[in-house]
Amino acid sequence: MIKAGIIGGAGYTAGELIRILIYHPEVELDFVYSTSQPGKPVAGIHQDLLGETDLEFSGEINKNTDVVFLCLGHGNSVKFLAENQFSANTKIIDLSTDYRMDGEHEFVYGLPEFNKKKIKKANFIANPGCFATAISLAILPLAKAGLLQNDVHINAVTGATGAGTSLSATTHFTWRDNNFSSYKAFEHQHLNEIGQSLKKLQDNKLPELNFIPNRGNFSRGIHVTAYTKFDGSLEEAKAIFTEAYKDSAFTFLVEEALHLKQVVNTNKCLLKLQKFGDKILITSIIDNLLKGASGQAVENMNLMFGFEESLGLKLKANYF
Amino acid sequence: MIKAGIIGGAGYTAGELIRILIYHPEVELDFVYSTSQPGKPVAGIHQDLLGETDLEFSGEINKNTDVVFLCLGHGNSVKFLAENQFSANTKIIDLSTDYRMDGEHEFVYGLPEFNKKKIKKANFIANPGCFATAISLAILPLAKAGLLQNDVHINAVTGATGAGTSLSATTHFTWRDNNFSSYKAFEHQHLNEIGQSLKKLQDNKLPELNFIPNRGNFSRGIHVTAYTKFDGSLEEAKAIFTEAYKDSAFTFLVEEALHLKQVVNTNKCLLKLQKFGDKILITSIIDNLLKGASGQAVENMNLMFGFEESLGLKLKANYF
Amino acid sequence: MIKAGIIGGAGYTAGELIRILIYHPEVELDFVYSTSQPGKPVAGIHQDLLGETDLEFSGEINKNTDVVFLCLGHGNSVKFLAENQFSANTKIIDLSTDYRMDGEHEFVYGLPEFNKKKIKKANFIANPGCFATAISLAILPLAKAGLLQNDVHINAVTGATGAGTSLSATTHFTWRDNNFSSYKAFEHQHLNEIGQSLKKLQDNKLPELNFIPNRGNFSRGIHVTAYTKFDGSLEEAKAIFTEAYKDSAFTFLVEEALHLKQVVNTNKCLLKLQKFGDKILITSIIDNLLKGASGQAVENMNLMFGFEESLGLKLKANYF
Amino acid sequence: MIKAGIIGGAGYTAGELIRILIYHPEVELDFVYSTSQPGKPVAGIHQDLLGETDLEFSGEINKNTDVVFLCLGHGNSVKFLAENQFSANTKIIDLSTDYRMDGEHEFVYGLPEFNKKKIKKANFIANPGCFATAISLAILPLAKAGLLQNDVHINAVTGATGAGTSLSATTHFTWRDNNFSSYKAFEHQHLNEIGQSLKKLQDNKLPELNFIPNRGNFSRGIHVTAYTKFDGSLEEAKAIFTEAYKDSAFTFLVEEALHLKQVVNTNKCLLKLQKFGDKILITSIIDNLLKGASGQAVENMNLMFGFEESLGLKLKANYF
């Protein structure tokens, strides 16, 4: 049994972490730190927890806790760690973008499918971005096989939780209901993390990544299509993916047609391969808040502490 | 051809008024007054108008315009009219609650089905509330026949546009998507207007109105069920409603089962009657922004200026 | 570890049972019987299970299994049990309406909050209807206290899963999207089960139940408002409900405003009480497929086999 | 005033045609032919028309009507016209795919932005497909300028009405609600019509069109992103599009960010251009049932009969 703390308790990712950790068999949820809500019941904000927990937000941090999850806005993790020091034994999992790019820090990029060995030994994890997770799992196997040499064309759609809890014009119900739109075409910040992973897998060689993100009129999930030229056969591609994910706890190559709700409220990534002429099309789906954020964070925690990778993460889907 | 002005141009009701008035064959849209957006294109806010109009918000008011619509927050119409004077010939239609209750003012309650004669002669109209419209049209015929003597049990659900354009927790997409909730049970402010109409129709006698409003996870429309004890037969009830609405341009008694989208994006009210034991059940549906606000405002304008009641209001439904 | 079988594997309730039972720590899912799909993978129908289970539908029944869940259409459970005999040790939980009304059978009505003792000793359970569960939990405490003497006015809205997997005009996406409608007013079949429970609790006395069900444009969940005359204070009402649910594993009285998504994808029922004049208003929310069907079925199984009531039912909500 | 008939009256496109034509100032809706519903009220199927029209489906065809719209399933228009002959003066507008590809017939492809002269003189129109309309309007201006030489990468999402009124697994509300999926990648049948238009505009030269269609969880509308290499500047591209659409009644190039609801329930196509490195990104939005089907059919009718192009098509958007 380990003790876990959460820094920044009011957002979507903190909520999902709390939901998972209160029933995780090897975790005691030690504290949920919130500067704005200290003393208030956690179920007052995350109201699906009414009746299930008396936990209150804490105004204080236990610096000796075994693991701490940072659920802070992008840019604020660096700041928080500069101002707060944890014990040498405390492992840190950061859900922001702050430590995802290599640099003068010890954070390991927490994509278990490609980094499991390092994660198991790590004390600090930079948890991948949601789009980055869905897209990386779609294209890294080809890169690992040295076969991602041509332009990649990626289109993805995310739910409204991807935009965070703050109110904005594009998260107003009357705007988003029955609506669809693109944003940040070719310029989404997650391209950096994906590129970094690609370069490591194929000798610094980075094909052009053309990425158009879209806003869907649903709450959860990311659906990705990615295609590129691929000389091999469909069977060769399937063999590459099967090999890449043979030890994977949550990422599966399937034959069935994919649709987003197959993974909503689970930590899974489902992948499907199709070949059209000289192109390979990869479809990839995840829940942006679970495999794309809090679920993967707990998966990383499980690996860091030697627990079974899927412990506490066998979640019932919300299939309809 | 008359000239029309709109005061307060950024909200939902102003948007709907603009959409209707730019194609109204007897109206020239003279100005849309906005203190926050003067000089900016109207289509920058109401973006479905892109390509259709070059109209800009105005920082000035034409005090000699033929008709002015007040689309201000509740409480602000009184204030605005205290600070701004229009010509003696300018007719005013107020969409707020400010003048709906009788008092020391000359505003006529603008429910054409029950007040058509007065509306035709009026210079000032208090446009009814959205719930008040849907509920009044459901129960006033019985009151007019002196037969609404017992407790009335009313349940209604409204779309998110009913809450206005401002961002709030309950209009955030991730909250409202696939959600449902009640609010202001037994205490909704529209009960006052309904009660006032009832009392006028049946000698000051007001049965108990039990009203539970609900928030639906859709953008537009109000669906009402109302039931009460009724000694007569279903046929007698139908005769009463048929008589009450025989000259109605937009309110129809139908035999078919009702569902909300039959009226979305139209100015219609559809009503259905059923009898169960000693009770009569009335179902009533309207579009909250049209028959419940801007459409009815234009209907009132048509009556005030002697135009055909439905002029400019034969709108294509958004049935699916 | 007990063995469980499911009869009728393709519908919503069977799917939810499978999702729960494959991770239930005391259950081995022995077979999912389907006459139409034998030999086909369960994950081919319940496609959120892709990657999680290799289970196949079975064309045969193990008559010695410990517990069997009947997920058949209404009317078909009686027929099935006439044609198929299980061992004397096999417990049966029927999710249809077939055995909910008392009669010449040994089935116990499986509403744990009011029938826990009998359920623990039962071999045959009639699992309550979804509306019946949500409404009963809202009003039975008053009946138990002998205080439900006056007319009750009930309005409830259910998601599209309430209509089953078969395709129909009112479950077509283009019809239901952004729509709302009522059906079966005053005549819903669940009134019988509710009435039966009420009569048992208060000496055969049955107040008039006025019930209007509605179809919402969401997939899961039931939201109920029910009000009646109540002479006591709000505090007295709260005391009655607190007492009624003091041993309840999933039903909680809360102070917070309720909205449906607080319980979606959980087995909980949340209740809120308000007093207006001489009336008490009770709001009640459940997930129609869990507390309203498969979750409650597993809750009953847990009680019948002496497991902790919430075993395998600590589900992560799908709060947004 | 001309007389119009509709063949096949129960589907979405017929419904939209009826909604438009009953208020079109130059059209008398002569008959709506239905073999399955003769004698039944049109408002019984298209229930938003309750109260507005007493029109009944007809079991007979007036062969001398001025214009007839064929709203039949793909493949059935050819069959219908083989079995039914109209007068020499009757103009025919076919909404199916049957006559969109050039061949041994006299049908003119009815995309007014690129074919207006021919349409004005035509007696027979093949109305374009919905995806084909949205994509063609996005890319044909470059082709017309001879500048569409490189691979084009197209991603589009359509609402559930795109799949027609028939019930299917992917149009069931519980499947589609909050869901997203791709289908027919690289192989959608509309690629043929688009290719045919492209080849005509640039000397038979056809760049590779990579097209991934998607199913969105909304009812109406198509949102397209298309990008390709383009050597010119953004300003040059804008000049090309501005020139291409300078006489267009419904297609507009705008500077604002696009989102689908800007065009829902209108006959407009809005386009936006962006340049990223050596690529041009074109976003295009239409209502699949209006500009993508029935609205464009009426637009073609207006042109064929010498009416103003937008007559009867100044529709109020359903912006929220």
Side-chain angles (χ1 to χ4, degrees), chain D residues 57-293:
Chain D
F57 290 112
S58 169
E60 301 201 1
I61 293 168
N62 172 4
K63 301 196 172 188
N64 296 305
T65 201
D66 296 300
V67 60
V68 66
F69 294 88
L70 305 185
C71 297
L72 299 165
H74 301 309
N76 290 334
S77 292
V78 165
K79 214 170 139 189
F80 179 83
L81 292 180
E83 291 167 3
N84 293 273
Q85 208 160 353
F86 288 89
S87 85
N89 294 324
T90 301
K91 297 181 192 292
I92 296 176
I93 300 174
D94 179 30
L95 281 80
S96 82
T97 60
D98 289 11
Y99 298 99
R100 291 182 195 155
M101 299 305 291
D102 292 349
E104 305 211 348
H105 61 72
E106 299 171 60
F107 282 72
V108 169
Y109 191 67
L111 189 64
E113 285 78 358
F114 292 89
N115 242 359
K116 200 173 287 188
K117 275 186 197 167
K118 286 191 182 166
I119 293 167
K120 284 183 173 178
K121 291 184 230 153
N123 287 316
F124 307 104
I125 292 287
N127 211 54
C130 52
F131 276 130
T133 297
I135 295 169
S136 296
L137 294 173
I139 63 176
L140 292 192
L142 292 183
K144 198 177 170 188
L147 296 172
L148 198 72
Q149 305 293 343
N150 297 293
D151 293 5
V152 188
H153 302 279
I154 306 163
N155 196 290
V157 54
T158 183
T161 50
T165 51
S166 60
L167 296 164
S168 68
T170 58
T171 55
H172 195 295
F173 182 83
T174 61
W175 188 91
R176 193 129 185 171
D177 179 37
N178 266 8
N179 209 352
F180 194 87
S181 56
S182 298
Y183 69 109
K184 293 189 186 174
F186 297 97
E187 295 177 335
H188 195 281
Q189 63 275 12
H190 287 182
L191 285 170
N192 293 332
E193 341 175 4
I194 302 166
Q196 175 177 273
S197 298
L198 282 175
K199 283 193 278 186
K200 285 183 192 172
L201 287 170
Q202 49 183 22
D203 290 338
N204 229 20
K205 210 166 172 183
L206 182 64
E208 196 170 348
L209 300 177
N210 301 282
F211 172 33
I212 299 187
N214 299 279
R215 296 179 195 96
N217 59 321
F218 46 85
S219 290
R220 295 174 82 109
I222 287 178
H223 179 282
V224 173
T225 51
Y227 59 87
T228 188
K229 281 195 181 147
F230 177 71
D231 292 332
S233 68
L234 181 59
E235 284 61 41
E236 287 167 317
K238 287 182 181 175
I240 290 168
F241 275 72
T242 302
E243 172 64 22
Y245 296 126
K246 67 175 193 292
D247 298 327
S248 186
F250 295 106
T251 299
F252 303 102
L253 184 67
V254 303
E255 296 292 324
E256 287 79 1
L258 293 187
H259 56 95
L260 189 54
K261 290 207 294 189
Q262 287 162 336
V263 298
V264 167
N265 218 26
T266 82
N267 196 48
K268 291 197 287 191
C269 173
L270 294 184
L271 296 163
K272 181 178 170 64
L273 298 177
Q274 291 166 278
K275 190 95 197 282
F276 299 96
D278 62 350
K279 298 204 183 66
I280 188 158
L281 170 67
I282 309 135
T283 307
S284 167
I285 52 173
I286 65 166
D287 185 310
N288 60 312
L289 294 176
L290 292 169
K291 185 63 179 170

Side-chain angles (χ1 to χ4, degrees), chain A residues 153 155 157 174-175 177-182 185-187 208 210 212 214 217-219 223 225 227 258-261 276 279 281 320, chain D residues 153 155 157 174-175 177-182 185-187 208 210 212 214 217-219 223 225 227 258-261 276 279 281 320:
Chain A
H153 302 279
N155 195 289
V157 54
T174 60
W175 188 91
D177 180 38
N178 266 7
N179 209 352
F180 193 87
S181 56
S182 299
F186 297 98
E187 295 178 335
E208 197 170 350
N210 301 283
I212 299 186
N214 299 279
N217 59 321
F218 46 85
S219 290
H223 179 282
T225 50
Y227 59 87
L258 293 187
H259 57 96
L260 189 55
K261 291 207 292 189
F276 298 96
K279 296 204 185 66
L281 170 67
F320 29 64
Chain D
H153 302 279
N155 196 290
V157 54
T174 61
W175 188 91
D177 179 37
N178 266 8
N179 209 352
F180 194 87
S181 56
S182 298
F186 297 97
E187 295 177 335
E208 196 170 348
N210 301 282
I212 299 187
N214 299 279
N217 59 321
F218 46 85
S219 290
H223 179 282
T225 51
Y227 59 87
L258 293 187
H259 56 95
L260 189 54
K261 290 207 294 189
F276 299 96
K279 298 204 183 66
L281 170 67
F320 28 64

